[in-house]
Amino acid sequence: MDFLDLNFVWISLSALLIAIPCSLVGVFLVLRKMAMLGDAISHAVLPGIVIAYYFSDSYQSIPMLLGAASVGLLCTYLIETFNKVGRLQEDASIGVTYTWLFALGVVMISFMNDNVDLDQDCVLYGEIAYVPLDTLSIFGALIPRAVVNGSFLTTLIALLLIVGFKGFKLTTFDPVYATAIGISITFWHYLLMGMVSTVTILSFESIGAILVLAFLVIPPAIAYLLTNRLMSMIYLSMVFSLVAVILGYILAYKINSSISGAIASILALEFLVVFIGLQIFKILRRRATKVSYSN
Amino acid sequence: MSILVILLAVVFLGIASGSIGTFTFLRKRALLGDAIAHAVLPGVALGFMVTGTKMPFFLILGACFTGSLSIYLMNTIVQKSKLKMDTAIAVVLSGFFGIGILLITYIQRNYGSEQTGLDKFFFGKAAAMLYSDFIWLFAICILVIVCIYAFYKEFLLISFDKNYAKSVGLNVRLYEFLLSFLTVLVIVTGIQIVGIILMAALLVTPASSARFWTNKLSNLIILSSVIASISGIAGSLLSYSISKMPTGPWIVIFLSLIAVASILFAPKRGVVARNLKSKRLKKKMFHDNILKTFYHLSEADGSFNTLRTSSELRNRRYFEEPKLSLALRDLMKLDLVHQSENKWGLSNEGWIKAKRIVKVHRLWEMYLTKHLRISSDHVHDDADTIEHFISPELEKELEKLLAYPDEDPHHTKIPYT
Amino acid sequence: MEKESIIEAHDLTVSYDKKPVLWDVDFKLPAGLLTGVIGPNGAGKSTLLKTLMGILKPDSGYVKLFGNKLDEVRKKVSYVPQRESVDWDFPASALDVVLMGLYAQKGLFKRINKADREWAMYCLEQLGMQDYKNRQISQLSGGQQQRVFLARSLAQNASLYLMDEPFAGVDATTEKSIIDLLQKMKNDGKSIVVVHHDLQSVNEYFDWLLMVNTRLVASGPTSEVFTQELLEETYGGKLSILSQMAHILKNLEIGRKEHEKI
């Protein structure tokens, strides 16, 4: 097959190194019923990213990353403030806050159009196809920067999750009990939101600000439908990400279209198949029990 | 198209989205609206791919189809699985948008570069509007107004209390469907000006701002339409006069400015107004405490005409210094206190006020001991707070309930006037 | 000799959304008793437990447990939230939930070892739930979910247990076995406070009663306070003046804590 070249390896590897950390934090977003907060953050980091681009050409330096991530936390904080201090209902707080920050980001891009290597298309669906062009030399080997960054991101998120697993699990399942035994739910909430911001920012260049949500939410949602175990939910969502990355790349290659769009489409398709499959399974089982009763 | 027509179009859109958005807001469906807006994208692309034209009618048809489908899917996911609404919204939003991106990119790469006009759907471009778009917008605006006018009561009922609406035999599903249908129509037309990604703001931000200024639904609808229209005009003027400026983001920025201003500065509900109110209250309590202290001093030495120095006051009750002198000056302006040299005394009016505070304090203490079974050595702190807030009506009720007691639980006399 | 008091509540006033739901609640609870908290719906029973547990901050007043501030003795206190307060669709097994009870003693970062697992299993057995250890929690009945919560609380091995409606949605047999367990715990020297609804069983279950309706109507040995008169006062509706005052405070929108500084 002609698409099985080095490009395929690098692009799908970098996509996978986005998809896996996304699934990891996404599992907890879904379980906390905060999927739309993930949506808000993924939009709201845009102004942070634009500023980072403006001040340095390689925006993925550590201080820039921290700066942009803090915009994500700022968004979380603003939503809470509008909600609690401003007394604006929660869904509207989310809606008002992130559209505002996102609009600000887009306007900033329009102003800086000539100075900044960043355009609206990139915001919408990223430029994962160009990943192999931007390489770093590591021990003499030319490795795409996105792959290096992705490995760093995946390791970071995985480590945080392993170390904080019990904290995330407990504060997600039973925040009241967690408070009762002296655990700060605010700390774990902001830690998770910080992780969501970081994931979003590092994925931005490859898949854009909006498709991140598909990577964050759809694989955990599919896995949640299929399993009753937290660990298997995490593993399954990574598997569904992997399948979507590979099939998505092939689809994009075959019809000459956006790779990130194709991966997100496959994710949506996976969800649809699993969801409908489960419904059919339920109906069949109900019918089977009916038959056994009537016998 | 001339700028006047564009501005007219934006006003139509503002009215349609502002009024329909009021219901989206009241029914707490802001994020649902966001998802519908994103789900419109594959419909636009499909409309183009199936018919091969950019005729607005077909694009809108496709958009309506996927927009409605997304509502159906979100509801089905929640009903038929353990996934909650937030995840259903996020899955549908990002899934549809992903498919949309796939199709649009496909069209751009395979139908030649002249088709990039579909781009305007992302961030909106008022200037790129066609005359037929304008007619559509006008028609939909009229439709929305007529529907809201005709079904005002029904919409109000299902927005405020769905269960009650059901109990009085209203066909809730029908009106919910009608509202959803109108919302989809508004979104589909709106995205050409504001764009998909920020359409949610046009639905929700105007109503969110308007909510801070009024409690009445009809006013809410009108005000939110006005806010949406004004932001629309400002945004389109800006993007019209500066090249390469997208319309949608600018409209949203103006909308958000109005929203933030409303949250902060609206009378009564705004943050500043509430802070001022709480400052005024604190000042009143401080004043009350000073007046009360005059009374306590006089009660202690039995002389009600003696003037007191501020240190005498401070020995009786803790007051911070510069604050006390300032407050005494304020009280003097209110004719509650008079000064001679370094000493202060209460005016007649001041005495009346001071007496009342002491009276309600002691009544409240009585109430706590008698009706809340709180022991007398625990009631002072509570009464010290509550005394400032007892309304004249409550005062009367207390007097009646306790049968005008002569003494408080500590056996000090309750002063009646 | 009077027993030491295990809970001291001093003039607690607690507001929800600026509206006081508990008003000047003041009591001392002797150690080693099985205590019932009773009162009508919306009387502030759960609020009282949450305030004792530091989950809600009081506007005024303070709480002492074992004569200390909560933070110093948190490990000796265990709390059982209402069953409806969590989403049981969470992907976890009964054993997983019970193991969470160990986080209180071990912290979040120590590994769970074999001894811990055995201890958690022992706690499940105490509630007759050993056969369900691997069952996903959404597949348990209401009564079984309640027992999982109790097992998690047992796993904390505390001295004081605060339980919010542990009998809600539980069938009669389970209720009997749970109360037997609570009696046994009491005999082992534990103190237990239970929010309870069913007045029929009050006399049989509890040594001590806290009767609450926004204010504390009574606190004392069941035999003394479980009287017709006090019950009528507890369940006889809200005090009109107190409710009106609460309403005024809510509309003024400043919590009482803020006035205290003045």
Side-chain angles (χ1 to χ4, degrees):
Chain A
M1 285 201 294
D2 48 357
F3 56 78
L4 250 180
D5 55 6
L6 202 59
N7 274 354
F8 166 73
V9 173
W10 285 139
I11 291 174
S12 47
L13 189 60
S14 65
L16 197 63
L17 289 172
I18 290 167
I20 286 178
C22 277
S23 313
L24 289 176
V25 293
V27 163
F28 287 98
L29 274 183
V30 167
L31 289 176
R32 284 171 175 247
K33 304 171 188 67
M34 291 177 177
M36 290 311 284
L37 211 52
D39 180 41
I41 290 177
S42 66
H43 284 78
V45 291
L46 187 61
I49 291 172
V50 179
I51 293 171
Y53 259 99
Y54 185 75
F55 284 109
S56 79
D57 21 282
S58 96
Y59 89 105
Q60 291 185 335
S61 63
I62 298 292
M64 283 304 162
L65 224 157
L66 290 177
S70 58
V71 178
L73 289 181
L74 175 76
C75 167
T76 317
Y77 176 76
L78 273 180
I79 290 172
E80 269 184 37
T81 311
F82 280 157
N83 185 220
K84 297 215 173 102
V85 182
R87 308 262 178 95
L88 187 59
Q89 68 198 37
E90 199 188 357
D91 64 321
S93 301
I94 296 179
V96 171
T97 309
Y98 88 81
T99 49
W100 170 49
L101 287 169
F102 189 76
L104 194 67
V106 177
V107 166
M108 282 159 80
I109 292 177
S110 310
F111 268 115
M112 300 173 182
N113 224 348
D114 307 325
N115 312 327
V116 174
D117 178 25
L118 185 71
D119 59 19
Q120 291 172 3
D121 286 356
C122 175
V123 174
L124 288 171
Y125 40 87
E127 291 168 332
I128 202 166
Y130 304 131
V131 156
L133 301 180
D134 182 8
T135 55
L136 294 173
S137 167
I138 294 181
F139 302 121
L142 281 180
I143 297 173
R145 201 163 49 90
V147 172
V148 177
N149 285 337
S151 316
F152 163 73
L153 176 69
T154 309
T155 318
L156 176 77
I157 297 293
L159 272 179
L160 279 172
L161 217 65
I162 291 168
V163 173
F165 190 71
K166 286 182 204 151
F168 286 122
K169 188 165 84 173
L170 179 62
T171 52
T172 303
F173 170 61
D174 195 345
V176 176
Y177 181 75
T179 317
I181 63 173
I183 291 165
S184 160
I185 43 177
T186 316
F187 169 77
W188 292 98
H189 174 66
Y190 275 92
L191 179 60
L192 185 67
M193 293 308 141
M195 284 158 76
V196 173
S197 311
T198 315
V199 168
T200 318
I201 290 157
L202 278 175
S203 318
F204 172 79
E205 235 177 358
S206 298
I207 59 174
I210 299 154
L211 292 175
V212 176
L213 186 64
F215 286 67
L216 277 173
V217 175
I218 301 183
I222 304 171
Y224 187 54
L225 290 175
L226 290 172
T227 177
N228 288 327
R229 290 275 182 277
L230 184 53
M231 282 319 289
S232 25
M233 184 174 165
I234 292 171
Y235 292 134
L236 267 181
S237 60
M238 289 198 283
V239 170
F240 280 105
S241 302
L242 174 72
V243 173
V245 163
I246 292 170
L247 291 183
Y249 183 87
I250 296 173
L251 174 66
Y253 185 85
K254 290 276 179 203
I255 68 167
N256 183 24
S257 186
S258 151
I259 298 170
S260 51
I263 298 175
S265 305
I266 297 287
L267 284 172
L269 195 68
E270 284 176 354
F271 181 86
L272 206 63
V273 169
V274 169
F275 185 79
I276 293 174
L278 280 175
Q279 299 307 316
I280 294 174
F281 179 69
K282 261 191 218 162
I283 293 168
L284 287 180
R285 202 174 49 182
R286 212 175 298 149
R287 222 172 262 171
T289 37
K290 256 187 206 158
V291 170
S292 65
Y293 275 130
S294 57
N295 280 349
Chain B
M1 287 240 291
S2 85
I3 179 72
L4 259 173
V5 181
I6 291 174
L7 292 184
L8 212 55
V10 178
V11 171
F12 288 148
L13 177 63
I15 293 170
S17 70
S19 48
I20 267 302
T22 306
F23 295 101
T24 314
F25 170 80
L26 289 175
R27 297 168 74 213
K28 302 198 164 57
R29 308 241 160 144
L31 301 173
L32 214 74
D34 190 25
I36 300 170
H38 283 73
V40 155
L41 183 64
V44 171
L46 278 176
F48 175 79
M49 285 165 76
V50 171
T51 62
T53 65
K54 276 203 290 178
M55 285 255 295
F57 176 75
F58 294 112
L59 301 190
I60 285 176
L61 205 65
C64 283
F65 172 65
T66 49
S68 314
L69 184 65
S70 74
I71 300 181
Y72 171 76
L73 280 179
M74 286 184 278
N75 288 329
T76 312
I77 290 172
V78 174
Q79 277 165 22
K80 303 268 176 182
S81 78
K82 58 181 176 177
L83 289 171
K84 310 296 180 294
M85 200 37 151
D86 69 301
T87 309
I89 294 175
V91 166
V92 166
L93 185 157
S94 61
F96 270 88
F97 194 75
I99 296 170
I101 292 279
L102 182 78
L103 295 178
I104 293 273
T105 317
Y106 174 78
I107 292 169
Q108 283 173 346
R109 291 190 190 159
N110 297 284
Y111 285 70
S113 57
E114 74 272 15
Q115 300 306 341
T116 48
L118 294 175
D119 267 8
K120 71 176 179 194
F121 288 109
F122 289 116
F123 296 113
K125 202 153 176 37
M129 220 172 29
L130 304 171
Y131 208 74
S132 45
D133 294 329
F134 175 75
I135 300 297
W136 264 106
L137 205 48
F138 180 67
I140 282 169
C141 177
I142 296 294
L143 180 69
V144 166
I145 292 173
V146 168
C147 283
I148 289 181
Y149 188 77
F151 305 115
Y152 182 81
K153 262 194 201 140
E154 286 83 353
F155 287 169
L156 187 143
L157 261 184
I158 63 168
S159 305
F160 277 112
D161 195 344
K162 209 163 117 180
N163 290 326
Y164 177 72
K166 256 182 208 158
S167 75
V168 295
L170 196 70
N171 190 342
V172 171
R173 286 182 69 122
L174 174 75
Y175 291 106
E176 279 192 326
F177 175 79
L178 186 59
L179 264 183
S180 307
F181 175 70
L182 291 174
T183 313
V184 171
L185 274 185
V186 170
I187 288 174
V188 168
T189 26
I191 55 169
Q192 305 183 55
I193 294 174
V194 196
I196 285 167
I197 300 158
L198 296 170
M199 188 59 213
L202 201 62
L203 276 178
V204 182
T205 312
S208 302
S209 325
R211 187 68 189 84
F212 282 85
W213 301 86
T214 174
N215 285 321
K216 220 176 131 197
L217 180 63
S218 53
N219 292 345
L220 197 58
I221 294 174
I222 294 167
L223 191 58
S224 111
S225 304
V226 170
I227 291 173
S229 304
I230 291 176
S231 311
I233 292 174
S236 355
L237 279 179
L238 218 141
S239 87
Y240 190 84
S241 45
I242 305 175
S243 72
K244 281 201 287 189
M245 278 294 161
T247 319
W250 272 113
I251 294 180
V252 172
I253 283 180
F254 285 115
L255 276 175
S256 311
L257 285 178
I258 295 178
V260 172
S262 304
I263 293 174
L264 289 179
F265 304 118
K268 282 192 190 163
R269 298 187 114 224
V271 174
V272 171
R274 279 192 281 125
N275 279 348
L276 280 179
K277 188 174 144 196
S278 123
K279 276 228 176 80
R280 266 205 311 277
L281 264 178
K282 281 182 186 165
K283 198 171 172 184
K284 174 196 175 316
M285 290 188 271
F286 197 80
H287 286 177
D288 284 358
N289 286 340
I290 294 172
L291 296 177
K292 192 173 69 176
T293 308
F294 274 108
Y295 187 92
H296 285 154
L297 284 169
S298 306
E299 196 179 41
D301 58 17
S303 118
F304 282 76
N305 293 319
T306 321
L307 298 180
R308 316 281 176 182
T309 61
S310 63
S311 57
E312 262 178 286
L313 290 169
R314 276 191 295 132
N315 286 338
R316 176 79 201 189
R317 184 188 176 102
Y318 174 75
F319 291 111
E320 275 174 46
E321 193 20 283
K323 246 175 126 185
L324 177 61
S325 307
L326 290 173
L328 280 169
R329 222 150 281 153
D330 284 341
L331 284 169
M332 208 162 74
K333 273 182 214 144
L334 293 167
D335 278 333
L336 296 170
V337 158
H338 55 81
Q339 183 187 19
S340 80
E341 287 166 25
N342 273 332
K343 293 188 166 185
W344 307 81
L346 291 183
S347 70
N348 272 340
E349 226 179 307
W351 277 117
I352 292 170
K353 278 209 157 195
K355 253 186 183 173
R356 179 183 182 266
I357 298 159
V358 173
K359 180 179 88 175
V360 294
H361 176 105
R362 291 175 183 173
L363 281 174
W364 189 252
E365 287 189 337
M366 268 323 266
Y367 179 71
L368 291 180
T369 43
K370 285 228 161 140
H371 291 264
L372 269 70
R373 300 166 179 278
I374 296 168
S375 63
S376 55
D377 52 335
H378 281 269
V379 292
H380 175 79
D381 285 349
D382 193 89
D384 221 33
T385 325
I386 296 305
E387 64 187 15
H388 307 288
F389 308 120
I390 292 181
S391 60
E393 299 84 50
L394 263 186
E395 182 186 341
K396 276 202 193 93
E397 272 190 54
L398 275 172
E399 285 173 340
K400 235 175 156 180
L401 183 75
L402 300 165
Y404 297 90
D406 297 327
E407 292 180 339
D408 74 359
H410 318 293
H411 305 296
T412 26
K413 218 170 153 251
I414 297 178
Y416 293 94
T417 35
Chain C
M1 196 186 86
E2 199 181 321
K3 287 180 183 173
E4 61 159 323
S5 51
I6 197 155
I7 300 178
E8 289 176 44
H10 290 272
D11 295 336
L12 284 184
T13 297
V14 191
S15 298
Y16 186 75
D17 198 16
K18 310 275 184 193
K19 185 171 183 172
V21 282
L22 280 182
W23 204 299
D24 276 323
V25 168
D26 193 280
F27 64 88
K28 284 182 182 170
L29 202 64
L33 296 181
L34 184 48
T35 303
V37 183
I38 60 169
N41 284 330
K45 303 184 296 291
S46 294
T47 306
L48 176 60
L49 242 59
K50 282 185 182 153
T51 313
L52 295 178
M53 208 54 235
I55 297 164
L56 291 176
K57 299 270 170 283
D59 288 348
S60 63
Y62 60 97
V63 175
K64 277 191 171 177
L65 303 175
F66 305 95
N68 285 301
K69 277 190 182 157
L70 173 67
D71 280 328
E72 290 157 28
V73 291
R74 208 185 276 276
K75 286 188 176 175
K76 289 160 77 178
V77 194
S78 176
Y79 172 69
V80 182
Q82 276 182 24
R83 187 166 56 88
E84 299 88 55
S85 68
V86 303
D87 172 13
W88 290 90
D89 280 335
F90 189 85
S93 67
L95 186 62
D96 286 339
V97 175
V98 178
L99 283 169
M100 289 179 191
L102 294 166
Y103 299 172
Q105 315 290 340
K106 296 185 63 125
L108 292 172
F109 304 110
K110 271 199 205 126
R111 281 191 81 86
I112 300 286
N113 56 32
K114 197 159 164 261
D116 295 331
R117 272 173 202 287
E118 279 165 6
W119 168 243
M121 272 312 292
Y122 171 78
C123 295
L124 271 174
E125 273 167 37
Q126 290 291 301
L127 286 135
M129 287 292 291
Q130 63 277 20
D131 297 339
Y132 298 94
K133 64 167 179 163
N134 288 324
R135 189 73 71 87
Q136 205 273 329
I137 49 176
S138 69
Q139 291 161 355
L140 299 171
S141 72
Q144 290 168 335
Q145 290 173 345
Q146 194 68 67
R147 281 189 275 167
V148 170
F149 258 12
L150 288 169
R152 175 177 71 177
S153 178
L154 281 191
Q156 262 182 269
N157 200 12
S159 312
L160 170 63
Y161 293 82
L162 305 174
M163 305 181 171
D164 203 345
E165 305 210 16
F167 301 123
V170 164
D171 63 69
T173 340
T174 316
E175 180 163 333
K176 178 82 178 65
S177 68
I178 292 177
I179 199 71
D180 286 345
L181 177 72
L182 298 187
Q183 299 280 4
K184 200 180 123 210
M185 287 162 67
K186 184 188 85 179
N187 294 335
D188 291 343
K190 316 271 189 193
S191 308
I192 303 153
V193 180
V194 175
V195 171
H196 193 55
H197 259 306
D198 180 17
L199 292 179
Q200 304 281 330
S201 47
V202 164
N203 250 325
E204 187 188 338
Y205 289 178
F206 303 115
D207 314 314
W208 194 278
L209 277 187
L210 293 170
M211 301 168 87
V212 184
N213 187 353
T214 311
R215 78 281 188 195
L216 183 70
V217 176
S219 161
T222 308
S223 53
E224 285 174 26
V225 299
F226 196 61
T227 62
Q228 192 62 32
E229 191 204 341
L230 286 174
L231 275 174
E232 270 168 22
E233 201 178 322
T234 311
Y235 286 87
K238 304 241 178 263
L239 295 177
S240 148
I241 288 181
L242 206 59
S243 318
Q244 288 179 53
M245 200 60 236
H247 194 69
I248 291 177
L249 288 176
K250 182 182 159 61
N251 285 345
L252 287 172
E253 289 185 355
I254 50 176
R256 304 210 318 178
K257 207 188 303 180
E258 292 164 60
H259 330 153
E260 295 227 323
K261 293 170 197 150
I262 294 163

